Amino acid sequence: MPSTDTTVLKDSDPAKKSRGVIGKVTRLIRFLGGKDIPCGLAEVAREAGLAKTTAHRLLRALEAERVVRRTSAGYELRERHSTMGLAGDGHAIVRRHALKGMLALYESTHMLVQLMVVEAGSVRCIDQFEPPGESMLSLPIDFGRRWPAPRVASGKVLLLAGSPRSEAEPFALRLSYDDGMTNAGLLTAAVPIKIRGGGLAAISLSGPRAAMSRAEIREKMLSISRRCEYEYRRLACRLASGGFASAKTHPVTAF
């Protein structure tokens, strides 16, 4: 029987394979996120456009990371209130826009990745990916917790991105840190991302100081911010033209 996987990669480039996996995982999460009941493997694979073997492998990986739960009736998202686009708090677009960047950052670091917004002068986490286990990185999401915006990395980078003077500075080159303020005992870095409709959010990464101090961590985060900025401008161009004209391209490191 021919494979239904529409995203088979025909070369061995590791970067392309990584991007392909992220796209497949994104489709699985979005499909399950729109279902109110568990779904069987065949249905998940068919709706996500994947071969059964591919869907099964990715679902098992998501199950190990505590994103998906397997029941007698099929697969479902483990925490339906804490997954992209499902919290019902008005931030569905933010989650959808940030999902690929968050997945890419988590896949490459396996540290705590959080999506932050500023509400009434405070920072709040609206979604996250954390590694399994009992370490400092394996923090369960707390939707009710708030941080003073000027004291944490996400708040600082968003306040700067939203200030009038920020127009003179390249948006995607801003990066802020805090040491133990966002998550005790961990160094946190945050970059801003623009959201459809002109909104702002921040993707943050928290981990041990030694790991977070590596140059590649900084480059990964700036790359994600640049990519989100590029996607934002491309969408704005398409909307302004009333069609699918692309914004002027420029060098961007893909997720």
Side-chain angles (χ1 to χ4, degrees):
M1 181 176 180
S3 169
T4 59
D5 190 339
T6 61
T7 58
V8 174
L9 297 169
K10 297 183 179 181
D11 57 52
S12 59
D13 185 336
K16 290 184 178 180
K17 285 186 176 180
S18 178
R19 294 196 297 275
V21 169
I22 291 169
K24 294 171 187 177
V25 170
T26 300
R27 299 209 302 272
L28 287 176
I29 291 176
R30 284 179 174 166
F31 170 71
L32 290 176
K35 306 297 288 187
D36 294 324
I37 59 175
C39 300
L41 175 61
E43 181 182 3
V44 174
R46 181 179 66 252
E47 295 300 323
L50 300 173
K52 282 186 182 181
T53 53
T54 301
H56 182 258
R57 174 172 54 83
L58 294 177
L59 286 167
R60 291 298 300 271
L62 289 170
E63 185 181 0
E65 296 291 347
R66 301 185 298 173
V67 176
V68 164
R69 173 169 46 219
R70 182 172 46 172
T71 71
S72 58
Y75 293 90
E76 64 180 2
L77 294 180
R78 179 176 288 274
E79 299 294 343
R80 301 191 63 80
H81 67 284
S82 68
T83 307
M84 302 296 172
L86 300 177
D89 57 3
H91 293 302
I93 291 176
V94 180
R95 291 182 175 86
R96 288 198 296 270
H97 189 90
L99 176 57
K100 284 189 177 181
M102 293 178 70
L103 278 171
L105 192 58
Y106 176 76
E107 185 183 64
S108 63
T109 65
H110 291 282
M111 293 192 279
L112 177 60
V113 179
Q114 294 178 297
L115 179 61
M116 305 290 215
V117 295
V118 171
E119 298 174 337
S122 297
V123 170
R124 185 168 73 87
C125 178
I126 61 171
D127 238 310
Q128 72 177 40
F129 291 105
E130 77 280 354
E134 304 298 328
S135 72
M136 289 191 297
L137 298 174
S138 305
L139 299 173
I141 193 167
D142 183 355
F143 288 108
R145 184 180 178 186
R146 294 179 181 273
W147 296 263
R151 299 183 62 188
V152 295
S154 295
K156 289 187 285 187
V157 81
L158 288 176
L159 292 175
L160 175 61
S163 67
R165 69 178 183 275
S166 68
E167 296 301 322
E169 183 181 359
F171 178 84
L173 298 182
R174 298 168 200 149
L175 181 67
S176 291
Y177 292 89
D178 72 62
D179 195 346
M181 297 301 297
T182 300
N183 296 298
L186 301 175
L187 185 65
T188 297
V191 291
I193 59 171
K194 282 189 176 181
I195 305 301
R196 188 176 69 194
L200 292 171
I203 294 178
S204 71
L205 179 70
S206 298
R209 293 175 183 85
M212 289 292 296
S213 298
R214 298 198 306 265
E216 59 263 34
I217 294 295
R218 173 185 173 86
E219 288 307 311
K220 286 179 189 297
M221 299 202 69
L222 291 177
S223 174
I224 285 170
S225 186
R226 284 192 293 265
R227 182 65 185 180
C228 288
E229 170 71 356
Y230 168 70
E231 293 294 345
Y232 170 83
R233 290 195 292 108
R234 186 175 68 167
L235 176 61
C237 180
R238 286 165 57 185
L239 293 174
S241 66
F244 293 89
S246 297
K248 183 182 292 184
T249 59
H250 57 86
V252 175
T253 303
F255 292 148

